[in-house]
Amino acid sequence: YFIGPQEGGEHAYAVVRTDAAFDVPATGIGGAGVALLDAGPVSGVFSILPDASYGAAAWQEHAEDPSWLAQVATEHQRVLDSLVRDTDVLPLRLPAMYGDEVQLHRMLESEPPLFLAGA
């Protein structure tokens, strides 16, 4: 699930409430740093991933490689597991890639009622 014309960029792990108290994991997929993108009532948890390793071409190349897919899914899940210890999490599916932070921010701003439902 790629957004925008770029081949890589921001991989979003989850959506969390901005006012929640939790620790952001230090690393995510491929050892990339994990950060928060504040979009008002919700924030996105994301990493910037290199195009060569995790862009659209890489996903197509590894689509039938269970070892690669398992490693990426495990690293994605490790971030989610860390978050869910402290707060409610809306996990995003693999690959949730956005061309840049602007695109990710637009997605987060477009659906806060959905993200906050049941909170």
Side-chain angles (χ1 to χ4, degrees):
Y1 168 67
F2 288 85
I3 305 296
Q6 297 181 349
E7 297 237 334
E10 278 70 22
H11 168 75
Y13 299 95
V15 178
V16 295
R17 291 179 58 106
T18 299
D19 62 359
F22 57 93
D23 293 324
V24 176
T27 61
I29 293 174
V34 178
L36 284 177
L37 180 61
D38 184 328
V42 297
S43 292
V45 180
F46 75 100
S47 291
I48 298 174
L49 301 180
D51 295 345
S53 299
Y54 300 101
W59 278 92
Q60 289 175 351
E61 178 183 338
H62 296 291
E64 303 296 324
D65 181 351
S67 296
W68 187 86
L69 293 170
Q71 180 172 341
V72 171
T74 298
E75 293 169 345
H76 177 89
Q77 187 63 44
R78 189 171 33 239
V79 171
L80 296 176
D81 290 345
S82 176
L83 295 168
V84 79
R85 281 186 231 130
D86 299 321
T87 191
D88 293 330
V89 175
L90 176 64
L92 299 175
R93 65 183 178 171
L94 280 172
M97 297 295 292
Y98 294 83
D100 57 28
E101 289 181 29
V102 172
Q103 289 180 342
L104 177 56
H105 195 267
R106 281 187 195 134
M107 182 277 292
L108 293 168
E109 285 186 320
S110 69
E111 297 293 342
L114 173 65
F115 296 144
L116 296 171

